[in-house]
């Protein structure tokens, strides 16, 4: 009689989707809260949304100046465009993880006092970050023509890649917020990742610059194919369904399978993270 | 909604005393230990575990208001958290049919940097209200809270009272099918408390199932149709609210064990045992009226001169404090000779409106120890409408004629 309910993956996923359906308004309000709180009493206002991407581009510029001096190749404006295109999604990814990870512990009074589907907390953090990113995307779109990049049909890849990135960020946010509630040192690991992740992801540099041996390794990072894809589609106007051959040696620096690889991480990760989150949700109040 | 219902079906809840594994460093050795030795079965108590709630069952149907009372640590909060789905019971099941309204932590979702207006929408959404419903009721909510003038001020500048009033107003304007109420009856100042209590009474009387947890026993007595007394997670008494409150307030710890309200809950040590204490005029009287308490008792042995064999103790349910004690010694009276006695104690209820518990007791005047006491009986003092305060001083006001002449 008092048996615990049988759980199956399908019923859990149905529950998660139903929860989100019911809490649309809550998701909206929490997202608004996060956005409002970020911009209230902030001297720079919405300019803050650009501070991090601009800093990333400047850091990249520093790195590339050094590379160009060491290699003897001159710096091109296209390289600036490449960094600009990749800095916004990287800032988004880092921002999502940074704000989603503490989202449960930071709202602990809510989690222990009032019932609502807890998934909305990390997801709202990601949505608030999306708002910042939207400002960044508009800014980059305005700047790109001045850097010699013009519109092409390959821009149609951008929404696909952004959806994959969003799914990846949401998966990481769900998983890490939950893990951080159970183990508080997760927060510190995340900080390390946020500081050094940029060196293991082709943000400031492009994957082919690592050469045939190491480019493949850097592309194992599921974020790498998405960022490289954005660069190829937007700046190099390359169709992502076709491989890219790099010199010297005519090695393959981009292959459509990279995209599939990232998609598997994004979709599979989101499903698993949502399930993991949903199943540990009932223990949150106990473990806090 | 018909079919609305709250049910607890043999609910057990286990907690762990002490620290949980908070960091990975703690977890790994613990996992290793678990893997090496055979762990205890999930339903049994491991070392450091304890039952916060043990085998609690109840059902609340439309029209019923269940009060849950008990000392701190008796499992009330755990019960509430299971009711609101924050915790899942270790064993047993909690079923709620209908949309749950919870008057619990009514301003927990507030963010200090947001204005009152923004927080109304945020907190409402957290409580499960739709944004358009909040928008529809917004004016009503703000008016009820009485802080219209500050609704566009960030709540970090609110006083704690204003915070609580706004939170309560939001929660009180949900249209729930079932209602769960925590200690929110003590929100804001006196006037707001009255208004809040009125609102809760209206909700309770609208016929939805309600569960109330409160330390304000007089509110429980006014609001509830049934009550459960929890002690260390075990329901030790259930029945009419007044009987339940009496079982809770009675000072002797052993009386709570079994048959707390049953007659003759006597301590073995004293020479007197009480059979009953009953108010003859009925439990409801107007402030200032007289009532008679009939006390029956048995004398077992020698009544030492240091013992006051019969005293009457009146305790306020609002505060839990003793408001009146008087006994034979103080009044200069003697217990009549014989094995048993029946005493009619006349009292004038010069008391503020509210609920009071009356009991007879015998006391060792040296050690101030209760030797025996009768089951408590509830006296409800109704409002005569002639005064406010905590005591009836029977004010008489006369005007001197001289003043009238001077004025004329």
């Amino acid at each position: 009689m008092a048996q615990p309910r049988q759980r199956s993956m399908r019923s859990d996923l149905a529950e998660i989707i139903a929860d989100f359906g019911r809490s649309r308004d809550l998701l909206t309000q929490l997202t608004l809260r996060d956005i409002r709180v970020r911009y209230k009493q902030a001297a720079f206002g919405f300019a803050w949304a650009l501070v991090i991407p601009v800093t990333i581009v400047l850091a990249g510029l520093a790195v590339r100046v050094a590379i160009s001096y060491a290699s003897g190749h001159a710096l091109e404006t296209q390289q600036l465009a490449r960094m600009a295109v990749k800095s916004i999604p990287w800032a988004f990814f880092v921002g999502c993880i940074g704000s989603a990870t503490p989202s449960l512990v930071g709202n602990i009074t809510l989690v222990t006092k009032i019932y609502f589907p807890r998934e909305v907390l990390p997801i709202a953090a990601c949505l608030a970050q999306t708002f910042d990113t939207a400002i960044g995307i508009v800014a980059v779109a305005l700047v790109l023509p001045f850097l010699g990049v013009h519109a092409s049909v390959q821009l149609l890849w951008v929404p696909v890649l952004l959806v994959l990135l969003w799914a990846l960020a949401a998966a990481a946010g769900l998983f890490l917020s939950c893990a951080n509630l159970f183990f508080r040192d997760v927060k510190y690991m995340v900080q390390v990742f946020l500081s050094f992740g940029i060196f293991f992801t082709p943000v400031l540099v492009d994957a082919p610059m690592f050469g045939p041996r190491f480019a493949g390794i850097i592309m194992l990072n599921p974020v790498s194919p998405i960022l490289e894809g954005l660069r190829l589609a937007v700046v190099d106007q390359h169709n992502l369904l076709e491989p890219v051959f790099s010199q010297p040696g005519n090695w393959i620096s981009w292959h459509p399978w990279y995209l599939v690889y990232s998609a598997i991480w994004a979709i599979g990760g989101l499903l698993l993270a949502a399930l993991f989150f949903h199943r540990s949700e009932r223990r949150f109040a106990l473990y806090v | 909604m018909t079919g609305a219902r709250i049910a607890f079906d043999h609910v057990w809840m286990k907690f762990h005393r002490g620290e949980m594994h908070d960091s990975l460093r703690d977890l790994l050795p613990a996992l290793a230990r678990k893997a090496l030795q055979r762990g205890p079965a999930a339903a049994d108590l491991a070392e450091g575990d304890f039952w916060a709630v043990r085998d609690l069952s109840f059902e609340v149907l439309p029209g019923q208001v269940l009060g849950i009372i008990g000392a701190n640590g008796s499992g009330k909060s755990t019960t509430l958290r299971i009711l609101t789905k924050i915790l899942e019971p270790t064993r047993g099941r909690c079923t709620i049919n209908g949309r749950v309204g919870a008057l619990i932590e009514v301003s927990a979702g507030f963010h200090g940097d947001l204005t009152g207006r923004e927080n109304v929408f945020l907190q409402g959404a957290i409580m499960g209200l739709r944004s358009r419903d909040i928008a529809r009721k917004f004016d009503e909510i703000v008016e009820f809270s009485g802080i219209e003038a500050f609704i566009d001020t960030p709540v970090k500048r609110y006083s704690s009272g204003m915070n609580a009033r706004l939170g309560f107003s939001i929660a009180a304007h949900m249209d729930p099918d079932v209602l769960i109420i925590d200690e929110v009856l003590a929100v804001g100042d006196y006037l707001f408390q009255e208004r809040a209590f009125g609102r809760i009474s209206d909700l309770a009387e609208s016929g939805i199932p309600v569960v109330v947890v409160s330390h304000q026993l007089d509110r429980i007595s006014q609001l509830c149709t049934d009550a459960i007394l929890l002690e260390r997670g075990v329901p030790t008494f259930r029945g009419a609210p007044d009987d339940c409150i009496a079982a809770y307030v009675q000072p002797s710890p052993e009386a709570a064990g079994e048959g707390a309200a049953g007659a003759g809950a006597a301590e073995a040590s004293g020479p007197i045992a009480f059979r009953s204490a009953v108010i003859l005029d009925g439990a409801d009287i107007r402030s200032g009226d007289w009532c008679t308490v009939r006390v029956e008792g048995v004398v077992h042995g020698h009544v030492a001169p240091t013992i006051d064999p019969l005293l009457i103790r009146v305790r306020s349910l609002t505060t839990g404090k003793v408001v009146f004690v008087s006994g034979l010694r103080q009044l200069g009276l003697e217990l009549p000779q014989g094995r048993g006695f029946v005493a009619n104690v006349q009292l004038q209820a010069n008391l503020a409106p509210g609920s009071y518990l009356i009991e007879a007791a015998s006391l060792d005047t040296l050690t101030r120890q209760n030797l025996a006491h009768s089951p408590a009986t509830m006296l409800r003092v109704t409002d005569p409408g002639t005064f406010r305060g905590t005591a009836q001083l029977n004010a008489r006001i006369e005007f001197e004629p001289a003043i009238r002449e001077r004025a004329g």
Side-chain angles (χ1 to χ4, degrees), chain B residues 292-353:
Chain B
T292 308
V293 184
R294 185 186 174 89
V295 181
E296 286 185 37
V298 183
V299 183
H300 287 302
H302 172 67
V303 180
T306 56
I307 289 174
D308 194 335
L310 172 63
L311 52 81
I312 292 292
R313 193 182 285 132
V314 181
R315 199 185 289 267
S316 160
L317 280 193
T318 320
T319 60
K321 282 183 182 146
V322 172
V323 294
F324 175 83
V325 190
S326 183
L328 291 187
R329 288 269 183 272
Q330 278 152 310
L331 297 171
L333 300 170
E334 288 292 328
L335 201 65
Q337 298 294 314
R339 299 268 318 142
F341 64 88
V342 177
N344 288 322
V345 183
Q346 300 216 325
L347 297 167
Q348 190 182 9
N350 284 333
L351 293 163

Side-chain angles (χ1 to χ4, degrees), chain A residues 213-257:
Chain A
R213 268 170 75 193
F214 296 108
I217 294 174
I218 216 80
M219 291 300 258
L220 284 178
N221 176 348
V223 185
S224 304
I226 295 176
L227 296 187
E228 282 298 285
L230 279 168
R231 167 183 71 87
L232 286 169
V234 177
V235 183
D236 299 335
Q237 304 182 347
H238 178 81
N239 182 357
L240 298 186
L241 293 179
E242 286 162 18
V244 174
F245 298 94
S246 287
Q247 305 305 328
N250 222 23
W251 59 283
I252 299 175
S253 63
W254 170 266
H255 196 280
W257 280 112

Side-chain angles (χ1 to χ4, degrees), chain B residues 128-148:
Chain B
L129 287 165
R130 300 220 152 271
S131 292
R132 82 178 107 86
D133 292 337
I134 305 169
R136 195 159 44 78
K137 290 185 183 162
F138 185 79
D139 293 336
E140 225 180 302
I141 292 172
V142 176
E143 198 199 319
F144 189 88
S145 72
I147 54 164
E148 291 97 328

Side-chain angles (χ1 to χ4, degrees), chain B residues 35-50:
Chain B
L36 290 175
Q37 349 170 314
R38 195 157 297 162
D44 293 328
L45 286 186
E47 200 193 329
D49 285 355
F50 67 99

